[in-house]
């Protein structure tokens, strides 16, 4: 069995390489069967569809990720599996129908496979650089920080949703689009990423709300407060007035907002005020003093310092460049 482990580890050590399909074909029948479908969307995203059944118990490992920095999404389709990540000495027990997400920065990982059991996995690998580019295109900085916390600093799991199953099935149909296959695959991978982001965000929000013992009414009140900040960041959100209006103590409101949205309410208000001021300056609809006042600042010096901290440039210089 040790020789079989070494042999498989040697063949499968580069699961992200272009030659993985050919490498899988080299596995002798007496060790078992591996079927693999591998599709690329340009060089930034890789989709892999695995079916494996071995003739003996095996522990297959991959040492490092060959200098790659990637987001790994592993969809476990049919049975429980034991997956080990050496970076934090953690063993993950994957359940059937679970999605696991983590950032692979040259970590050593291993999977235990039981004799005679078929294992079905689908996986998506996205370069961390490309993932950050996607976030920057579609999300404000405040939300990017929250999403990066989930994807880049945590090992996250959730149930595979019906929409995820649908998209994974559609990705297997890419060949029918012939020369447009790469474009089709990229669109589906971005669609899948959006569904995963949505599921994780709301799954985490619901879990935190439960841990905080928030009632549905309290959670709705905080969501409404966030919507008000988004729409009118210049309003006064300080003191105990807001907390009192939704029947919470100031400390509970601040803690709940921070855990639900990944940032303090004060920081979120500042973020939105500066975004609004930057928009006014970019539109040339007012000067710096007017932009500061309309964004809710009464002290121009405080506004300039906060603006530079967020955008790396003074508001007057920002206005000149727009």
């Amino acid at each position: 069995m040790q020789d079989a482990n070494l042999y498989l580890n040697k063949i499968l050590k580069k699961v992200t390489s272009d030659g993985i399909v050919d490498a899988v074909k080299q596995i002798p029948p007496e060790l078992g069967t591996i079927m693999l479908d591998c599709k690329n969307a340009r060089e930034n995203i890789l989709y892999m569809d695995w079916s494996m059944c071995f003739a003996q118990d095996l522990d297959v490992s991959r040492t490092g990720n060959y200098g790659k920095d990637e987001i790994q999404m592993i969809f476990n389709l049919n049975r429980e599996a034991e997956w080990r990540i050496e970076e934090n000495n953690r063993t993950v027990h994957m359940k059937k129908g679970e999605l696991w997400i983590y950032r692979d920065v040259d970590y050593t990982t291993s999977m235990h496979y039981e004799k005679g059991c078929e294992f079905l996995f689908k996986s998506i690998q996205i370069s961390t650089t490309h993932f950050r580019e996607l976030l920057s295109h579609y999300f404000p900085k405040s939300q990017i920080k929250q999403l990066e916390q989930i994807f880049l600093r945590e090992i996250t799991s959730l149930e595979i949703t019906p929409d995820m199953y649908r998209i994974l099935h559609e990705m297997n149909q890419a060949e029918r689009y012939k020369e447009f296959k790469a474009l089709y695959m990229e669109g589906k991978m971005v669609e899948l990423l959006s569904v995963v982001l949505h599921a994780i965000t709301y799954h985490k929000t619901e879990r935190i709300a439960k841990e905080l013992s928030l009632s549905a009414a309290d959670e709705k009140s905080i969501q409404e407060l966030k919507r008000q900040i988004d729409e009118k960041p210049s309003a006064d959100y300080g003191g105990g007035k807001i907390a009192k209006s939704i029947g919470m103590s100031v400390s509970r409101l601040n803690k709940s907002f921070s855990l639900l949205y990944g940032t303090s309410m004060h920081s979120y208000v500042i973020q939105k005020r500066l975004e609004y001021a930057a928009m006014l300056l970019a539109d040339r609809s007012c000067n710096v003093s007017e932009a500061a006042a309309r964004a809710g600042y009464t002290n121009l010096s405080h506004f300039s310092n906060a603006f530079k901290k967020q955008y790396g440039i003074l508001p007057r210089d920002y206005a000149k460049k727009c």
Side-chain angles (χ1 to χ4, degrees), residues 97-165:
E98 281 188 338
L99 162 64
W100 285 82
I101 302 146
Y102 81 112
R103 182 183 184 182
D104 188 355
V105 190
D106 231 17
Y107 301 149
T108 294
T109 58
S110 60
M111 186 81 77
H112 177 72
Y113 299 98
E114 295 181 21
K115 172 184 176 181
C117 295
E118 183 182 27
F119 291 84
L120 302 176
F121 299 99
K122 296 180 188 290
S123 65
I124 307 291
Q125 294 158 212
I126 307 174
S127 75
T128 300
T129 299
H130 187 56
F131 174 73
R132 282 183 159 136
E133 288 174 354
L134 287 172
L135 292 185
S136 68
H137 286 320
Y138 297 108
F139 299 98
K141 287 184 178 180
S142 56
Q143 195 170 359
I144 289 174
K145 181 180 178 181
Q146 179 186 6
L147 294 173
E148 286 189 345
Q149 176 67 33
I150 295 170
F151 274 80
L152 303 184
R153 299 180 181 88
E154 300 176 1
I155 300 174
T156 305
S157 68
L158 70 157
E159 182 180 351
I160 303 173
T161 67
D163 275 338
M164 293 179 203
Y165 279 116

Side-chain angles (χ1 to χ4, degrees), residues 245-285:
S245 70
I246 59 177
M248 286 187 182
S249 67
V250 174
S251 61
R252 181 168 173 78
L253 171 59
N254 288 334
K255 182 179 179 181
S256 300
F257 193 98
S258 181
L259 288 172
L260 286 171
Y261 298 112
T263 185
S264 69
M265 188 175 75
H266 174 73
S267 296
Y268 191 75
V269 170
I270 296 300
Q271 173 78 25
K272 289 300 174 181
R273 285 180 175 178
L274 294 173
E275 287 178 3
Y276 181 54
M279 181 195 71
L280 293 174
L281 294 172
D283 289 344
R284 299 183 181 277
S285 55

Side-chain angles (χ1 to χ4, degrees), residues 168-273:
L168 290 169
H169 174 73
E170 291 171 348
M171 290 167 73
N172 287 335
Q173 313 301 314
E175 298 298 333
R176 65 183 179 179
Y177 291 94
K178 303 183 188 309
E179 68 268 27
F180 304 104
K181 179 179 71 173
L183 178 60
Y184 176 84
M185 283 298 297
E186 183 163 7
K188 285 298 168 185
M189 288 179 180
V190 172
E191 181 184 2
L192 179 62
L193 179 60
S194 69
V195 171
V196 169
L197 284 168
H198 177 272
I200 287 179
T201 300
Y202 284 92
H203 169 77
K204 184 171 183 179
T205 297
E206 291 167 2
R207 174 172 56 80
I208 290 172
K210 186 176 181 180
E211 291 174 357
L212 289 169
S213 300
L214 284 177
S215 67
D218 286 343
E219 185 179 357
K220 186 175 180 180
S221 295
I222 296 175
Q223 291 172 347
E224 174 61 20
L225 172 60
K226 178 179 177 294
R227 186 192 66 77
Q228 292 175 12
I229 296 171
D230 291 338
E231 292 186 356
K232 193 175 181 181
S234 60
D236 181 9
Y237 298 100
K241 181 180 178 181
I242 296 296
K244 186 177 180 180
S245 70
I246 59 177
M248 286 187 182
S249 67
V250 174
S251 61
R252 181 168 173 78
L253 171 59
N254 288 334
K255 182 179 179 181
S256 300
F257 193 98
S258 181
L259 288 172
L260 286 171
Y261 298 112
T263 185
S264 69
M265 188 175 75
H266 174 73
S267 296
Y268 191 75
V269 170
I270 296 300
Q271 173 78 25
K272 289 300 174 181
R273 285 180 175 178

Side-chain angles (χ1 to χ4, degrees), residues 39-106:
K39 295 182 175 70
N40 280 85
R42 295 188 294 180
E43 72 280 3
N44 294 312
I45 309 177
L46 179 66
Y47 165 80
M48 306 178 80
D49 187 355
W50 296 85
S51 173
M52 293 170 283
C53 184
F54 296 108
Q56 56 185 287
D57 288 349
L58 291 174
D59 292 290
V60 180
S61 64
R62 187 189 65 178
T63 304
N65 197 22
Y66 301 88
K68 294 179 182 291
D69 183 351
E70 298 174 319
I71 305 296
Q72 298 265 6
M73 294 192 289
I74 303 174
F75 299 83
N76 184 24
L77 300 181
N78 73 323
R79 66 172 60 252
E80 291 191 8
E82 188 176 290
W83 174 45
R84 187 169 184 79
I85 305 171
E86 301 295 340
E87 182 268 341
N88 59 3
N89 197 33
R90 177 173 177 180
T91 298
V92 170
H93 298 282
M94 292 182 171
K95 296 179 181 178
K96 173 185 175 181
E98 281 188 338
L99 162 64
W100 285 82
I101 302 146
Y102 81 112
R103 182 183 184 182
D104 188 355
V105 190
D106 231 17

